[in-house]
């Protein structure tokens, strides 16, 4: 399933429990919770991820990505911010105790012609990323492999 966040009217995270969101926000949360592997892509904005993607990470439950496999894609205007995958997206996956496919795919304006992705190198990497997500998920199987973290509360206790 492909979810384009631009198609959803997401509520801003306000610290409430995830099950209390409604409408499109609830639809998105439920889709994320029910999936067991992801390819997550974002344009780079200000050297980081978009606000709308960060908002999605903030409204989902703490265990929504726990032990799940994620492949990351980022796009930017130039090569300048290719490390946004390592420095902005990987730490969020770390918070969620997710498995990240080593590497990731970064594409910028020179990889496109007339709005279409044309770079054979990037297309090949994207294919490898998709195959890696599926293979790692299959090798891991179900169940959590890893070290439990202390619960991080949403509200002060
Ligand atoms: C608000 C804003 C901030 C941006 N910041 C960056 C940036 O820091 N680094 C970069 O390489 N590109 C930056 N860009 C360019 C976008 O990453 C680029 O347009 C996008 O990846 C292409 O996807 P799109 O066609 O969906 O916009 C920015 C674009 C916008 C609108």
């Amino acid at each position: 399933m492909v979810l384009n966040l631009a198609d959803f009217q997401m509520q801003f995270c306000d610290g409430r429990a995830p099950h209390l969101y409604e409408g499109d926000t609830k639809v998105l949360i439920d889709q994320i919770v029910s999936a067991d592997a992801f390819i997550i892509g974002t344009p780079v904005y200000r050297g980081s991820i978009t606000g709308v993607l960060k908002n999605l990470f903030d409204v989902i439950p703490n265990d929504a990505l726990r032990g799940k496999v994620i492949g990351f894609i980022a796009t930017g205007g130039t090569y300048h911010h290719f490390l946004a995958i390592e420095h902005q997206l990987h730490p969020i996956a770390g918070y969620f105790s997710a498995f990240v496919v080593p590497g990731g795919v970064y594409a910028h304006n020179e990889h496109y012609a007339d709005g279409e992705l044309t770079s054979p190198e990037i297309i090949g990497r994207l294919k490898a990323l998709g195959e890696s997500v599926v293979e790692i998920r299959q090798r891991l199987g179900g169940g959590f492999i890893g070290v439990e973290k202390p619960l991080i509360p949403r509200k002060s206790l």
Side-chain angles (χ1 to χ4, degrees):
M1 166 166 296
V2 177
L3 300 172
N4 180 1
L5 297 187
D7 296 335
F8 293 84
Q9 298 286 322
M10 215 192 321
Q11 294 162 275
F12 281 119
C13 178
D14 57 10
R16 77 183 81 168
H19 70 275
L20 297 177
Y21 288 100
E22 298 165 352
D24 275 7
T25 314
K26 177 176 167 41
V27 170
L28 277 169
I29 292 171
D30 290 348
Q31 292 288 354
I32 300 296
V33 167
S34 66
D36 55 11
F38 304 88
I39 293 178
I40 299 176
T42 179
V44 172
Y45 277 10
R46 313 303 189 209
S48 186
I49 67 174
T50 60
V52 71
L53 179 59
K54 180 61 166 62
N55 191 55
L56 178 63
F57 285 132
D58 292 345
V59 296
I60 60 178
N62 283 7
D63 62 355
L65 308 178
R66 178 175 166 274
K68 298 180 179 179
V69 182
I70 307 176
F72 284 123
I73 301 170
T75 62
T78 68
Y79 246 125
H80 206 67
H81 285 120
F82 71 98
L83 285 175
I85 292 179
E86 309 282 339
H87 293 169
Q88 307 293 321
L89 286 163
H90 281 219
I92 295 173
Y95 170 90
F96 282 107
S97 297
F99 286 97
V100 179
V101 174
V105 182
Y106 183 84
H108 63 82
N109 286 353
E110 288 174 20
H111 298 127
Y112 292 82
D114 297 326
E116 290 289 319
L117 181 65
T118 51
S119 162
E121 178 193 344
I122 299 297
I123 291 168
R125 282 199 206 147
L126 288 169
K127 191 163 177 285
L129 185 75
E131 289 168 355
S132 299
V133 167
V134 173
E135 184 172 344
I136 294 171
R137 168 68 182 109
Q138 286 173 344
R139 288 203 201 184
L140 286 173
F144 179 70
I145 303 170
V147 179
E148 295 291 355
K149 288 181 182 171
L151 181 71
I152 300 174
R154 282 181 177 262
K155 300 275 190 192
S156 52
L157 298 173

